[in-house]
Amino acid sequence: MMADNQRIAVCPGSFDPVTLGHVDIIQRAAAVFDRVIVLVSINPTKEPMFSPEERVEMIKTVTKNLPNVEVEASGGLLADFVRSRGATAIVKGLRAVSDFEYEFQMALANKKLCPEAETIFLITRSENMYLSSSMVKQIAYFGGDISDFVPAEIKERIAARLTSLSADSITNEGVEN
């Protein structure tokens, strides 16, 4: 049974794929809150490399040592999800000032939709400032080493998927020409 005074945070993102920067933010949130729900956000306007189920499974794999972390997926409004879980905080990681502008707008919208929740920004560690899922995908797509960017437990899975996509696109381009 959940205690009424438990501090619950939701840490949303696409996590396509999860990076060491994501894991750092999740770990730091887990140290501050009693319970952290990592939310794999499903955006119908994006075409992710990994299914929501695959992303949930990868995050569960890399957070298995954090007993107060849960992982779920949802395609609805973040504010509705936060309210439904009794969370009082939304935790977002920021890498640069450019992230802040977008995240600030989202925080204001979420505050309007869910006034009981505060958005908490965690500044990335300097070694992760340049790190993004897009960068990881591009490096893996071209066969580069992603060891320094993603958790070791899921590195091969990510590399295999993105390398196979690269091979497929090269094969398909060859057929079409």
Side-chain angles (χ1 to χ4, degrees):
M1 186 169 161
M2 184 175 68
D4 287 335
N5 61 353
Q6 205 175 39
R7 294 170 302 159
I8 303 169
V10 173
C11 188
S14 59
F15 305 104
D16 186 44
V18 63
T19 68
L20 290 173
H22 293 130
V23 173
D24 175 55
I25 296 297
I26 295 165
Q27 289 171 334
R28 290 164 56 200
V32 174
F33 293 94
D34 298 315
R35 187 169 149 220
V36 174
I37 304 167
V38 178
L39 175 63
V40 173
S41 299
I42 302 168
N43 183 340
T45 65
K46 290 186 178 180
E47 291 185 38
M49 295 289 170
F50 295 93
S51 72
E53 297 79 17
E54 288 172 311
R55 290 179 275 160
V56 164
E57 183 54 40
M58 285 191 282
I59 297 167
K60 284 182 177 180
T61 297
V62 301
T63 61
K64 66 180 176 277
N65 64 328
L66 300 171
N68 62 331
V69 172
E70 305 165 23
V71 187
E72 295 185 47
S74 175
L77 280 174
L78 175 58
D80 292 341
F81 183 87
V82 167
R83 188 177 298 107
S84 74
R85 298 309 185 271
T88 57
I90 299 166
V91 175
K92 297 292 291 186
L94 293 178
R95 292 172 299 196
V97 173
S98 57
D99 286 348
F100 179 77
E101 185 175 351
Y102 172 77
E103 294 297 348
F104 182 68
Q105 290 174 352
M106 294 303 296
L108 291 173
N110 284 323
K111 189 65 174 171
K112 191 72 159 170
L113 295 169
C114 184
E116 61 272 27
E118 296 294 338
T119 298
I120 310 292
F121 295 116
L122 294 179
I123 306 303
T124 189
R125 296 186 192 282
S126 60
E127 62 266 24
N128 295 324
M129 284 189 75
Y130 62 91
L131 188 53
S132 70
S133 294
S134 299
M135 184 195 68
V136 168
K137 286 189 264 194
Q138 187 168 19
I139 292 169
Y141 183 84
F142 290 108
D145 182 8
I146 58 172
S147 299
D148 291 335
F149 312 121
V150 299
E153 308 96 308
I154 60 171
K155 178 185 101 95
E156 291 306 321
R157 183 176 183 176
I158 294 168
R161 168 69 55 84
L162 294 169
T163 302
S164 74
L165 289 172
S166 173
D168 288 348
S169 69
I170 292 168
T171 303
N172 290 338
E173 285 176 17
V175 170
E176 292 173 8
N177 289 335

